[in-house]
Amino acid sequence: MTEPLYVSFLWHMHQPYYKDPVQGGYILPWTYLHAVKDYYDMPAIVAEVPGVKVTFNLVPSLLEQLLEYAAGTATDPFLTRACLDPADLGEDDRLFIIENFFSANRQRMIEPHRRYLELYSLAGHGSQGAGKDAVKRLGDQEIMDLQVWFYLTWTGEAARRRYPLFNELIRKGRGFTAADKDLLFQTQRELIGEIIPLYQRLQREGAVELSVTPYFHPILPLLCDTRLAKVALPKATLPKAPFRYPEDARAQVARALKSFEELFGLRPQGMWPSEGSVSDEALAIMAQKGLDWSASDEWVLSRTLPGGLGREQEALYHPYSFFQEGRDIALFFRDHTLSDLIGFTYSQWETERAVADFLARLKGVRQRCHGSRVVSIIMDGENAWEYFPSNGFPFLTRLYRALTATPGLQLATFSEVLDRVPERKSLGHVHPGSWINADYAIWVGHAEKNLGWDLLAAAREAAVQKSPAVALLLSGGESDDETARLVCKSLYAAQGSDWFWWYGDDHYSAHAAGFDLLFRSHLMNVYRLLGLEVPPQLAEPIKRQLPAGFVREPSAFISPSLGEGANDYFEWLAAGLYDLTKLSSAMHASESVLQSFFYGFDDDHFYVRIDGVQSLEKLLRENDLLSLHLTHGTELRLDMKLPGGEAELLVKEAGGWRPSGLSGQYRISRIAKARLALKALKIAPGDQLLCQLTLSRDGQEVGRWPVDTPLVLSYAGDKLAALDWEI
């Protein structure tokens, strides 16, 4: 082959619109935190390596927030409390700090820093309800150190290299002063002010292409018609009345293009639709607005083409052209496996091994798929890096350098690929779906999600009926009525995909209540602006406050055997249960290995059962390690591998893992079962165990359940024995 295989990265930079429409403050801190960690680091890493070409997709509602933080006009409850002197904090504020200022990846952002880990231990290791006791243990200096460490650990590696102050504070470690903290926040604000100019400079230099997403990150096809969800999921339950407002989809696209051009001085050529969600109508809107290219996922393409992607997936590695009503728009489709390897797997591998594996896979595409022209790697630009050492800096710099030096592979932006590869495969229709399972189930179909759509539709209808100016603006007309403009902004903000992401049982966030409140606040603001009575339903939370995946707590003592038998159902009937398939976080992994986690107790033992999506004997390899992590004061680990037996428990200390002198028994066959002595766990009635499961292969972690916050396992002790007696 003489033609190169183009490798096109698209890093999608996005946060929902956190601004309270009434109070004006920001309800959650993630725009600020990802700004100092990822929105600066990612372009700075590109600038570090000559010859790199990538695309950054910037969501306008994110850019709006970055500008306000840079100007010092934005604040949020986290930042407000962090800036206060500990001596001026009341008990509620101290509790807020203790409960929220460990919101960081434990492995990469807490454990490497001795003082931060010490504070984590003093605060109760993240145990539910431990904060109230910790308020009494943490004095002013501990709170000061925690205020600094939370914001310091969220500072990216490239940012630390740019501003020496960050590493100076890391080396200091403890005993921070008010002056240290003030300087930290001054420097971070300066850093945030550099972010947008850095993207502008890299765009001028040709190192990056900047693309855009509809303004408030809505699922465009669902704005056009929620009934489209039935194409991929015929049995889905949909909202009471169809939401069909393609004019709202057009407005979200038009607003995005206008704001982008005002900020960057040119119109973008491409648009990554929110969550890679496409449909014929959504693509036609983008084409009508003059966009040259868009993109989605390989599963969408597979369900679009009558013959699928082909045995070697050769159909995936070409640009396509979608043509309808006299207009066309080019389409790219992401390589699902390669994108997810970066997002979910390589963070636990050695850097050199991960880079070598990635390059080998790209070379395999070039050799295996004759005529392949482009591999599209499309993924979140911020959420993966907290799982990597040094915020992904070593991995990305090494990967970029390797790609620029590998014959036959060439980094290129999507617009560059279109210039260099004139031939396109034609599509007259696309399967309506997203980059998650080629459907829209994440955003519609669950009772909570459907209620959100119903409330949105009701607010829109009320606004149109009340205000001719709102009706005119929503239909695409012009009006100088400022109130009507604000009403439309609140309606469009409520159409953002993130609110629906956190509704239902698909994903978990400790801050889900905040997302719920924001969605309802945008809708309440519509009624208030127009002088209408706010429906009582909007005062009630939509989101059920249950842990992700939680099904039930233990209802009685159990004493199951470890052997394989027909009594598995009855022996575990009173066990506590979590659905492990519901434990995704801000990212969404494409594959699930484990399905269910059962747990229970008797007088002497703690029992665990783990079910896979299929038999574990088929899923696990000979030397795979399925590890059970349990934390109550200290963290214990039981490593299990086929077929089972007895293994010594490991205990985690500052220097790593060491033998504990205690053991547990287990068996892995169709399912995995384990038994540990209660005395090894040192728990008492009323205590809680924190639990995570990990799967390691060839010495590298390849799976973790849950990804972020551990499962909370309640131990009722004798109360369970009483329940057992009653049953």
Side-chain angles (χ1 to χ4, degrees), residues 56 119 167 202 206 216 347-348 422 432 473 478-479 505 520 547 570 572 694 708-710:
F56 284 109
L119 294 169
N167 279 322
L202 291 174
F216 286 104
S347 61
Q348 302 302 318
L473 286 171
E478 297 291 333
S479 174
D505 303 318
R520 289 182 290 112
F570 294 102
W572 294 89
T694 58
D708 295 313
T709 306

Side-chain angles (χ1 to χ4, degrees), residues 330-346:
L331 288 177
F332 296 88
F333 295 92
R334 73 191 282 262
D335 187 302
H336 206 110
T337 298
L338 287 174
S339 300
D340 280 3
L341 280 168
I342 296 176
F344 301 101
T345 301
Y346 288 153

Side-chain angles (χ1 to χ4, degrees), residues 478-529:
E478 297 291 333
S479 174
D480 294 330
D481 188 320
E482 185 59 25
T483 297
R485 290 175 180 272
L486 292 173
V487 167
C488 291
K489 183 172 184 178
S490 283
L491 284 171
Y492 293 144
Q495 294 172 355
S497 68
D498 297 87
W499 325 124
F500 301 94
W501 176 280
W502 297 113
Y503 288 141
D505 303 318
D506 312 285
H507 300 97
Y508 172 75
S509 169
H511 305 282
F515 288 96
D516 184 7
L517 176 60
L518 267 170
F519 172 73
R520 289 182 290 112
S521 295
H522 288 305
L523 295 183
M524 285 189 278
N525 196 44
V526 170
Y527 291 94
R528 288 175 179 144
L529 284 168

